[in-house]
Amino acid sequence: MKIAPVPAEHLVEEGTPDLSVFDAKTVERAEAIVARYPQSRSALLPMLHLVQSVEGRVSQAGIHFCAEQLGLTPAEVSAVATFYTMYKRKTCGEHLVSVCTNTLCAVLGGDDIYRRLGEHLGADGKRLGHNETAGEPGAPGSITLEHAECLAACDLGPVIQVNYEYFDNQTVDSAVELVDKLRNGERPAPTRGAPLRDFRTAELELAGFFPEDEAEYQAGVDGPSAAVETLRGAKLAHERGWVAPAMPDDVALPEVQKK
């Protein structure tokens, strides 16, 4: 795998990324994350989200910041940051739009939605591709598009997430309408989950930081959590008195052959 060099503008001296983007508040939050775990290296995943809340991506500076805070090598941090698709190497837009293109959503229209959004958000006749951004990354109205693997909502496909909040039962037209509203500064209500916020705020919350004011906190997390389709089976079972067979109190374990 070819590793891109760190751009010169991000270096304070040869080979050393500039960590000044991570201010005292970010360092304080990083220390609070570390304090949650008996071993500091266990704090790496939320700390990578913290880094993304600052830069909108995991840069080389972010990797070195995490390594410094956790006593790890940059290579150890990079191995994790490049394994998970939720950690971005390019700066994301104000909104991350994820279109499920796994099997069920794809055949129900997810592939068509992803293709149409790429065309709609593209410029100069070029379709917007995976993890590419329409607009200046991070600026108001900018959108990063990605095709995603299963978003765990097969009963509601095709599904889109915006900053990890669900927009269910989408069509090509409704998806285009959704991204147009985002580009115009609107924040449509998700089908399920908390009210929509921008990508960096969502990343800060994934790192475990929420408003201290209780009313503000509740307003930011309150929202419907289950869809009618998801509960239909449980509702039908309740109406018809269906229950799972009871487990016996004493069940003999199968014998295991000796090797």
Side-chain angles (χ1 to χ4, degrees):
M1 180 177 68
K2 185 177 181 181
I3 305 297
V6 180
E9 64 267 23
H10 297 316
L11 302 179
V12 290
E13 59 185 56
E14 187 175 356
T16 306
D18 183 4
L19 306 187
S20 62
V21 65
F22 303 108
D23 59 14
K25 184 64 175 179
T26 304
V27 173
E28 180 184 330
R29 284 169 168 162
E31 292 171 349
I33 293 173
V34 173
R36 300 172 192 162
Y37 299 90
Q39 295 187 24
S40 61
R41 67 182 301 132
S42 300
L44 179 54
L45 296 185
M47 194 168 293
L48 286 167
H49 285 297
L50 177 66
V51 163
Q52 286 201 145
S53 77
V54 175
E55 294 192 291
R57 64 171 178 145
V58 177
S59 66
Q60 286 295 319
I63 286 172
H64 280 258
F65 175 79
C66 291
E68 184 178 279
Q69 295 295 319
L70 300 175
L72 300 173
T73 66
E76 289 174 309
V77 177
S78 293
V80 174
T82 56
F83 180 82
Y84 294 103
T85 58
M86 59 191 174
Y87 301 123
K88 309 303 182 186
R89 306 316 299 269
K90 297 179 181 179
T91 304
C92 277
E94 181 185 22
H95 300 293
L96 173 64
V97 174
S98 311
V99 182
C100 183
T101 56
N102 214 338
T103 306
L104 185 57
C105 277
V107 300
L108 290 174
D111 282 345
D112 293 334
I113 290 172
Y114 177 70
R115 186 181 305 108
R116 182 70 186 96
L117 289 184
E119 294 168 351
H120 186 66
L121 295 170
D124 301 323
K126 182 182 178 182
R127 192 168 75 189
L128 197 70
H130 174 63
N131 273 339
E132 293 182 345
T133 301
E136 182 66 26
S142 57
I143 291 177
T144 298
L145 179 67
E146 70 171 359
H147 66 80
E149 287 299 321
C150 183
L151 296 179
C154 298
D155 50 345
L156 298 162
V159 172
I160 291 176
Q161 284 185 340
V162 179
N163 306 329
Y164 306 117
E165 300 296 345
Y166 282 99
F167 290 81
D168 304 314
N169 296 313
Q170 291 295 297
T171 65
V172 170
D173 291 340
S174 67
V176 169
E177 182 182 356
L178 172 61
V179 298
D180 282 346
K181 288 181 178 179
L182 296 173
R183 297 175 88 180
N184 291 332
E186 299 179 51
R187 299 245 176 126
T191 311
R192 294 173 288 129
L196 195 62
R197 58 268 199 242
D198 65 90
F199 176 74
R200 297 192 189 196
T201 300
E203 286 297 306
L204 186 61
E205 293 176 356
L206 287 170
F209 298 97
F210 297 86
E212 294 182 3
D213 179 77
E214 182 64 20
E216 185 180 356
Y217 166 74
Q218 290 296 337
V221 300
D222 192 25
S225 60
V228 173
E229 293 89 340
T230 305
L231 300 177
R232 186 169 291 148
K235 183 174 183 293
L236 186 63
H238 177 74
E239 291 172 349
R240 301 189 179 184
W242 296 343
V243 294
M247 288 292 292
D249 293 332
D250 187 15
V251 178
L253 296 175
E255 293 185 7
V256 178
Q257 294 182 349
K258 294 182 179 180
K259 295 184 178 179

